Amino acid sequence: MTQELILGQTLAFTADPFAVPPDEAVHHSSRGAVLIEDGLIAATGEADTLRARHPQARVSDLGRGLILPGFVDAHMHYPQTGIIASWGKRLIDWLNLYTFPEEERLADPDYAAEVAARALDLALDHGTTTLCSYATVAPHSVDAFFAAAGQRGMRVIAGKTCMDRPDTTPAGLRDTAQSAHDDSAALIARWHGRGRASYAITPRFSPTSTPGQLEALGALWAANPTCLMQTHLSEQLDEIAWVKGLYPEARDYLDTYEAFGLLGERAVFGHAIHLTARERARLREAGAGLVHCPTSNSFIGSGLFDMAGLMAEGQRVGLATDTGGGSSFSMLRTMAAAYEIGQLRGAALHPAQLLWLAGEGSARVLHQAGRIGRLAPGAEADLVVLDLASTPAIAQRAARADDLWQAVFPTIMMGDDRAIAAVIVGGRRMR
Ligand code: GUN
Ligand code: ZN
């Protein structure tokens, strides 16, 4: 057995800070420690107590660093790493001009492997230890991602993006209802539950699938109910109008999925901004997960996610970069954008809520709660340690802090990869 003690400040959630006051939801120690045993968190507590109890453990002292569960990015597109920050287009034009041509380039397996490695290394640089990613239509792009994550020991979720509609998809990115079903089934057999990998059945969104493909993927999900199903929902008003034209018989956008068995508690819907009352009610009844992608929603001009309203009505919500529609690999920058969008809607999210969304919130949406996103015994030892004074601008503001929230908020708002003091994956120091 290997034992390691990581010393620093610790912040562990004992409850959901959207449900109870944030100060009641956390346990904070300014001189804390996390004991890691064989890749799992064995204990958290006061540094002196744990050192006395485990004198043989190797010690890594991170000083005033804030130890948190590694960030969980609940929706991203690793193939879009190279086109992040592409100028001037809204969703449909952005997909056609930048995204689809880049995804076509991953038809080259060597390029897919290179981009997968780069995306995961950038994620680690930014303190993200788990990602739930779309691949491209090419099955080998899923293999590339899971292989690269396996080499790094990371817990990841991904799926082959399915798109078969001839009038909306370029020929080089097109599958069929049958091949999408069969290729996804083969990938599930190869990867789902292998090491730290799990599979998400991934229709891109209803405008790029035929009804026949959505039906085939609904059947595949019914046959593989432990898989997630991820897709996009109600991101932009133009997109919603487009869906209405393509699916005239559907009651609303969600119904284009619901009608084909693509709604359930393991469904994960990215964006979910412009929802009708019926959609909100059905999402909640089904227990589906919603993912807020705030840098993407402002970058592509999509709209303002209703975090306060959705949380108040009991929806499950996670947080994500949506790389490369999102404009940052950083979950800190993503929390900042979530805060700003909250302000534009009249609801200031507390730092506790932002940090919780990037860990436990995303883990719950991905059905990984208890395993990741949590600083608690039994969870996998995926950790990020934040330097709360990583730049002069942040340091001078944090120096005036009276409590932990004031100390961490400047890093949430102004921090980036320079704030990442250490990253641990499965108990192994990566950064
Ligand atoms: N809707 C369908 N595909 C995509 C995508 O790749 N990114 C975003 N932001 N929205 C989408
Ligand atoms: Zn997306």
Side-chain angles (χ1 to χ4, degrees), residues 75 77 80 91 94-95 99-100 103 134 161 204-205 207-208 231-233 235 239 253 271 293 296-297 300 302 322-326:
H75 175 126
H77 300 254
Q80 297 171 19
L91 178 61
W94 175 84
L95 285 170
T99 311
F100 290 164
E103 292 193 11
Y134 290 58
T161 298
R204 176 170 220 121
F205 66 159
T208 47
T231 191
H232 296 85
L233 176 67
E235 180 175 358
E239 172 207 14
Y253 195 159
H271 303 279
C293 306
S296 170
N297 295 345
I300 308 187
S302 301
D322 192 31
T323 301

Side-chain angles (χ1 to χ4, degrees), residues 17 63 103 127 134 141 151 161 176 191 213 243 245 266 301 333 335 357 371:
E103 292 193 11
Y134 290 58
S141 72
Q151 283 163 5
T161 298
T176 68
W191 292 109
Q213 179 169 80
V243 169
R266 285 178 186 265
R333 176 73 201 103
M335 288 178 230
L357 282 167
R371 275 194 184 142

Side-chain angles (χ1 to χ4, degrees), residues 7-339:
L7 309 188
Q9 304 192 68
T10 55
L11 192 160
F13 288 94
T14 52
D16 170 356
F18 285 91
V20 304
D23 280 314
E24 271 179 36
V26 296
H27 174 74
H28 169 236
S29 171
S30 59
R31 198 65 201 137
V34 177
L35 178 70
I36 299 174
E37 266 177 24
D38 296 331
L40 299 179
I41 296 175
T44 63
E46 299 303 321
D48 292 344
T49 314
L50 285 176
R51 284 186 90 152
R53 215 175 277 161
H54 303 279
Q56 74 292 357
R58 192 152 60 85
V59 173
S60 296
D61 189 346
L62 286 143
R64 301 284 299 160
L66 179 64
I67 307 171
L68 297 170
F71 298 135
V72 180
D73 185 347
H75 175 126
M76 61 89 69
H77 300 254
Y78 94 79
Q80 297 171 19
T81 296
I83 55 118
I84 192 168
S86 289
W87 184 83
K89 297 294 172 200
R90 294 168 67 85
L91 178 61
I92 298 165
D93 294 336
W94 175 84
L95 285 170
N96 287 319
L97 185 66
Y98 298 121
T99 311
F100 290 164
E102 180 65 9
E103 292 193 11
E104 282 192 60
R105 292 187 63 203
L106 276 79
D108 173 358
D110 291 340
Y111 186 59
E114 179 195 326
V115 177
R118 198 188 324 149
L120 291 169
D121 285 338
L122 283 166
L124 289 171
D125 290 343
H126 289 84
T128 298
T129 50
T130 286
L131 310 103
C132 182
S133 182
Y134 290 58
T136 73
V137 73
H140 69 248
S141 72
V142 178
D143 296 328
F145 185 74
F146 282 135
Q151 283 163 5
R152 290 160 180 77
M154 296 168 75
R155 179 167 287 290
V156 294
I157 303 166
K160 179 198 116 68
T161 298
C162 301
M163 39 202 295
D164 72 330
R165 195 161 181 135
D167 50 335
T168 60
T169 58
L173 283 181
R174 206 177 296 148
D175 54 15
T176 68
Q178 190 68 47
S179 73
H181 174 282
D182 296 352
D183 288 345
S184 300
L187 289 163
I188 291 169
R190 195 173 316 147
W191 292 109
H192 187 54
R194 177 169 158 191
R196 300 187 82 193
S198 33
Y199 196 84
I201 295 166
T202 307
R204 176 170 220 121
F205 66 159
S206 41
T208 47
S209 286
T210 59
Q213 179 169 80
L214 296 179
E215 189 176 0
L217 295 177
L220 181 66
W221 195 24
N224 295 275
T226 61
C227 289
L228 296 181
M229 187 293 300
Q230 62 176 348
T231 191
H232 296 85
L233 176 67
S234 295
E235 180 175 358
Q236 285 206 347
L237 297 175
D238 289 355
E239 172 207 14
I240 295 168
W242 192 29
V243 169
K244 214 182 183 72
L246 294 170
Y247 292 82
E249 65 298 340
R251 286 170 289 184
D252 45 42
Y253 195 159
L254 183 65
D255 200 29
T256 64
Y257 299 124
E258 191 177 352
F260 298 109
L262 295 171
L263 175 63
E265 66 170 20
R266 285 178 186 265
V268 181
F269 295 103
H271 303 279
I273 301 170
H274 309 282
L275 300 173
T276 65
R278 190 202 82 88
E279 289 174 315
R280 289 169 78 130
R282 284 297 297 133
L283 287 163
R284 204 177 61 80
E285 277 165 23
L290 310 180
V291 186
H292 184 24
C293 306
T295 72
S296 170
N297 295 345
S298 53
F299 183 77
I300 308 187
S302 301
L304 307 179
F305 184 84
D306 181 16
M307 179 69 77
L310 291 162
M311 289 311 255
E313 72 192 34
Q315 304 280 2
R316 293 192 305 113
V317 178
L319 191 65
T321 63
D322 192 31
T323 301
S327 55
S328 176
F329 295 98
S330 169
M331 289 297 282
L332 290 170
R333 176 73 201 103
T334 302
M335 288 178 230
Y339 178 79

